[in-house]
Amino acid sequence: METQDKAAAASNEQNTQGSGHASEATQPVPDGKLAGQDTQSFTVPTISLPPGNSMPGNGLPVFPNQDGTFAPLQQPVYNNGAFANPAAIIPTNQPMMGLNGSAITQPTNGNALSADDIALYDRQLRLWGMEAQQKIQSANIVIVTMKALANEIAKNLVLAGIGSLTVVDDQLVTEADLGAQFFLTEENIGQSRAEAAVGRIQKLNPRVKVIADSESIMAKGASFFGNFDIVIATDLSPTLLAFINTATRLHNRQFYAAATYGFYGYIFCDLIEHDYVLQRDKPNIPTSLGPETRTRSIIKVENQKEGGKTIEKVQKRELYSTWDLASETSLLPPEYLRSKRRLKVVTPALSCLRALWAFQQAHNDRFPEHNKQDLEAFTRSATHNHQLLSLPAETLRSEFLRSFLQNVDSEIAPVTAILGGQLAQDVINVRGQRQQPIQNMVVFDGERMEAEMYPLHPEGKLGRAQLELSTTPMMPLHQVDASQMLPIDQSAMMMGTGM
């Protein structure tokens, strides 16, 4: 028995020593191929991440200093959580492999990614390739208004590795801003909201240039927006959105607008005319050039041999409308109007959003207050817009109107995270030109937990042909059929009674 105990102790001692030796030894690093593929190992020194420190999905390490700031990135990080030599991870004589098994090649436009970039954005490169990542890294983006929704958008774009981000906001931080925003603290109350947020945004990715602009957006001329590739306006009135969209059209810049109202929200985009390429296995039936829908057409088809099979590259073009045309009188597309079932499932939040925008335009950009006059005006407008969209009257209930008005002028973090993530992802897709973008309105309904996309366009020409923006005022509310007005309990909708 004593002999067995000694043998077991000796065995444990050998295992412990072997384990300690293994942790100090060099570890194999894969050459960038996926599991299941033949790999070639390279040995490089391994340094594990310190305990308690997490690493976001794009591989950017976050090391907090004693003063609460974040240490700058000193070395690239591979996906296994260790620092490594990029040349060892992706040797010069062996291409990096994408998720589809095809080799990821450097872009041919003269702006090749550095070895550090390749190591840092490894996961993203496998998703959309080096050329798309280079386009993302060259993007110059501006966000107007830094509230909870913009926090989410900025976070996702900076972690993705855009070139630069400018934050325009002339407001000061208030206590209300701390409820759903994560770039601000109590110490920032009374400071410029743009300047307070920019410091923490920068720490997410030191490679991205982040700029604060505390001047009012109304003090900017139209030429200001010509300095950016993409303009994102959040939580602004429809009047300001129309002004910004006019400027982006004049300078041929892509435009996004978005806002949240408690459990509800929207994303709108005007990309004017946007081309993108989809890759797929060549189908048996040849792909024809020409229109697919009113807004989308196939303009080019190419075939190439890749890995023993034929890949088809289909270039498509999407046409867009301006904010004022899409948000006021544009109708749902014919495929909706021909189907009662599809009309029935359209969220009434679309009608309420249009009613809210119409109310703001008629009342100096303010929200409806909980008094009889405002509630009647909002109800008339919502009913009118519901009819204009050819939606069934029974889907716009008084309970929904009450819920929508209760949520106006509030921010809920999960909703801002959903819409902010979706908008940022669409910006990345647009820059990479590898995915179909939003067309052109997304409406989030928190009661259904759905974010549906609705192509809203006026009759007539789309895309660049709309350079002269429509200034036609909204249809007067007196055209609403009074017999179709909702019989709602207004007293229950007022603050302090049913709310």
Side-chain angles (χ1 to χ4, degrees), residues 225-229 231 248-249 251-255 270 272:
F225 301 98
N227 299 320
F228 306 96
D229 300 302
V231 176
T248 58
R249 276 269 172 162
H251 291 276
N252 195 34
R253 295 296 185 262
Q254 295 167 327
F255 171 71
D270 176 18
I272 308 177

Side-chain angles (χ1 to χ4, degrees), residues 240-298:
L240 284 176
L241 294 179
F243 160 73
I244 296 173
N245 193 193
T246 301
T248 58
R249 276 269 172 162
L250 291 174
H251 291 276
N252 195 34
R253 295 296 185 262
Q254 295 167 327
F255 171 71
Y256 285 85
T260 61
Y261 308 97
F263 283 113
Y264 309 96
Y266 74 92
I267 300 171
F268 166 82
C269 67
D270 176 18
L271 307 181
I272 308 177
E273 293 184 4
H274 177 68
D275 293 356
Y276 58 98
V277 177
L278 301 180
Q279 288 191 197
R280 61 192 181 191
D281 292 343
K282 184 179 179 181
N284 295 327
I285 301 176
T287 302
S288 302
L289 302 181
E292 290 186 311
T293 66
R294 183 173 175 232
T295 63
R296 184 173 63 250
S297 60
I298 298 175

Side-chain angles (χ1 to χ4, degrees), residues 146-225:
M146 182 50 60
K147 298 181 71 174
L149 178 59
N151 278 204
E152 296 286 351
I153 298 169
K155 175 198 69 176
N156 288 301
L157 292 178
V158 168
L159 288 176
I162 61 173
S164 70
L165 177 70
T166 300
V167 176
V168 180
D169 195 327
D170 65 338
Q171 298 298 305
L172 302 180
V173 178
T174 65
E175 188 174 355
D177 291 320
L178 307 181
Q181 300 186 48
F182 45 78
F183 288 136
L184 304 175
T185 66
E186 291 184 2
E187 298 176 353
N188 299 127
I189 294 178
Q191 300 175 4
S192 162
R193 196 157 57 188
E195 295 177 1
V198 157
R200 290 178 175 84
I201 296 173
Q202 181 69 79
K203 294 170 189 175
L204 293 175
N205 192 343
R207 296 168 183 259
V208 178
K209 184 178 181 180
V210 185
I211 303 168
D213 188 334
S214 300
E215 191 176 24
S216 170
I217 195 64
M218 292 305 295
K220 309 290 186 184
S223 60
F224 170 78
F225 301 98

Side-chain angles (χ1 to χ4, degrees), residues 413-427:
V415 177
T416 61
I418 292 171
L419 281 179
Q422 187 172 1
L423 192 155
Q425 183 61 57
D426 198 69
V427 169

Side-chain angles (χ1 to χ4, degrees), residues 29-32 40 42 85-96 118:
V29 178
D31 66 345
Q40 178 180 354
F42 299 86
N85 183 352
I89 295 176
I90 307 172
T92 56
N93 62 349
Q94 187 155 348
M96 184 179 184
I118 293 173

Side-chain angles (χ1 to χ4, degrees), residues 106-151:
Q106 284 277 15
T108 58
N109 56 6
N111 296 317
L113 300 177
S114 66
D116 285 357
D117 290 335
I118 293 173
L120 178 61
Y121 300 117
D122 172 78
R123 293 184 182 181
Q124 297 171 195
L125 292 173
R126 297 173 191 276
L127 287 174
W128 50 66
M130 290 190 183
E131 185 174 356
Q133 181 63 33
Q134 187 274 329
K135 292 178 181 178
I136 293 168
Q137 287 185 237
S138 65
N140 189 11
I141 298 175
V142 60
I143 295 181
V144 183
T145 306
M146 182 50 60
K147 298 181 71 174
L149 178 59
N151 278 204

